[in-house]
Amino acid sequence: MTRFLIGDELGNVKVLRYIPDVSADQKMELKFLHAHNKSAPARSVQRLTAKKAGNLMMLASSFSDGECSLAALSEDDELSIGCSWQEKRMKGSKFVGTSITESAVTTCTASGMLSRTSFNVEDGITISEHTTGTLPSRLFDWRQSPDGATFCYGGDEVDMSVWDAERTFHNLSDAASASTTPGSKKRKRNDDLFPAEIWRARNLPNDHLGLRQPVRISALAYLDSSANSHHLVAGTQFGDVRRYDTKSGRRPVSHWKGIAKVAGVKVVEKGFSEHEIFVADGGSSLYAVDVRTGGILNGYKGISGAVTSIASSPTFMASTSLDRFGRIHSTIAPPAKAGAHQEKRGEVLDKIFMNTTPTVVVWDQCTTATKNKLQPNEEVSEDDEEDTWNQMENIS
């Protein structure tokens, strides 16, 4: 059984469970965790993130009205709101990133308003400290590394950049950064890194006409992160996907053009298999891509709306889209040899209508013992093969 958490355009938070070993009409269970108050104005859930903190499963939510909340989620799907706070610097912006560690929630808006809220869970969920900072504006995506040590961002004329999370909040404050904002005109063309900045990508060379290529980073994901290097992938509004290795220079180590066919890349998510990512465009296409070659492993059919969010787990992958469906997908590991033919394909296993448009989906970070991911060349065991022969009819 795999559990996903879904937020929608009204502010509802729901839990979706997928149970493969039951009858077809009972495989998907959808229930409310947090229902929107109908008497209050609608506010969409823009970001969700889950993390185990001690013995509690913590769920952080960011809403379009600037409110952020932190709650404890039980295994029985009971949500207990612990604390909430307001991002007072929204001013018509939106959240492009929310991340949670065992002790803090970090949020970032499209206008570059960064904040970190530290919390304690010993005697209930309480806020211990709230710190703010400023990043460049016109951001499209912001991601924190799995270990919480770094974060990256990108946007409209803002190329990918990696920052040290701890040093950022020691060196940045609203007052101190007002005169040296990374996106200000004085520093726009300066290649010098800021105090907490670890690495910054360099724009692609000029095109065949000698014209500068615009920067339009629309989606980001960490592939791998260590103390010495960071492997990242970025999607652009032009439909391209780029792979970066911070140890190998500032330009992409791979650049695959035209993977997204309609309206550019909207979502990029790392898969649980090695060399696997999922890419969705502004149409209705969702692909599994091999990051060794940039080749499309398979496309998922039957999606009639643009994908709004992707959540990968060790067993299944979930997606939400503008057609108001939540879908569960099977995933197939890339072939052991790059570029080798792969017969098995991932597919849409099931879907459920959501009544309202879902905006974000995340996995609850709990592993299960059920095995549902097949290797591309997985072999049948001798016992299974013997059972197959024994069950065959003997024709004399």
Side-chain angles (χ1 to χ4, degrees), residues 27 29 32-33 53 84 96 114 163 192 194 216 302 317 368:
K27 288 186 176 183
E29 296 179 352
F32 280 88
L33 285 177
S84 62
V96 295
L114 186 70
W163 289 56
D192 294 338
F194 289 90
R216 299 288 189 276
M317 186 261 290
T368 59

Side-chain angles (χ1 to χ4, degrees), residues 71-317:
L73 177 63
S74 70
E75 295 181 358
D76 299 328
D77 302 335
E78 294 183 358
L79 193 68
S80 302
I81 303 296
C83 57
S84 62
W85 61 95
Q86 191 77 20
E87 175 53 82
K88 299 180 180 179
R89 303 172 296 168
M90 285 285 285
K91 295 182 181 179
S93 184
K94 66 176 183 178
F95 288 103
V96 295
T98 298
S99 180
I100 185 172
T101 64
E102 294 183 356
S103 60
V105 176
T106 306
T107 63
C108 184
T109 70
S111 57
M113 300 297 104
L114 186 70
S115 68
R116 183 174 67 178
T117 304
S118 302
F119 61 89
N120 295 318
V121 296
E122 296 178 357
D123 299 322
I125 305 174
T126 57
I127 296 176
S128 59
E129 185 183 10
H130 187 75
T131 313
T132 61
T134 306
L135 296 175
S137 59
R138 298 184 299 180
L139 299 181
F140 288 146
D141 203 0
W142 178 97
R143 293 288 186 103
Q144 192 165 18
S145 62
D147 60 3
T150 64
F151 63 80
C152 65
Y153 59 74
D156 179 10
E157 291 302 333
V158 181
D159 221 330
M160 179 182 287
S161 179
V162 179
W163 289 56
D164 183 286
E166 199 62 36
R167 288 168 51 200
T168 297
F169 289 99
H170 281 124
N171 293 310
L172 282 182
S173 65
D174 290 338
S177 61
S179 60
T180 58
T181 301
S184 64
K185 293 182 179 180
K186 292 182 180 180
R187 301 295 299 268
K188 188 172 182 180
R189 296 182 180 275
N190 197 333
D191 289 337
D192 294 338
L193 298 181
F194 289 90
E197 193 175 15
I198 300 173
W199 175 89
R200 187 189 306 166
R202 186 180 179 184
N203 195 12
L204 298 178
N206 294 346
D207 62 15
H208 64 284
L209 296 176
L211 301 177
R212 175 187 176 274
Q213 300 198 47
V215 177
R216 299 288 189 276
I217 304 296
S218 55
L220 301 169
Y222 274 89
L223 298 179
D224 189 22
S225 183
S226 66
N228 298 324
S229 66
H230 304 278
H231 297 265
L232 308 107
V233 63
T236 73
Q237 287 186 343
F238 306 109
D240 304 338
V241 175
R242 304 170 185 172
R243 184 169 65 88
Y244 292 90
D245 181 358
T246 59
K247 199 174 181 179
S248 299
R250 296 173 55 190
R251 282 186 170 145
V253 294
S254 300
H255 184 197
W256 306 301
K257 296 184 177 181
I259 289 184
K261 307 303 180 184
V262 179
V265 176
K266 296 300 182 182
V267 187
V268 173
E269 194 67 42
K270 179 183 181 296
F272 268 79
S273 295
E274 191 176 8
H275 313 305
E276 174 189 57
I277 62 171
F278 300 105
V279 179
D281 66 8
S284 58
S285 299
L286 173 59
Y287 303 111
V289 177
D290 190 334
V291 295
R292 294 170 296 182
T293 63
I296 296 176
L297 298 171
N298 67 269
Y300 291 93
K301 300 179 180 180
I303 303 175
S304 55
V307 173
T308 58
S309 184
I310 300 170
S312 181
S313 78
T315 52
F316 302 102
M317 186 261 290

Side-chain angles (χ1 to χ4, degrees), residues 8-11 42-47 62-65 359:
D8 67 17
E9 61 180 349
L10 296 181
R43 53 173 193 170
S44 65
V45 182
Q46 294 183 337
R47 298 287 167 173
S62 300
F63 298 89
S64 58
D65 62 354
T359 54

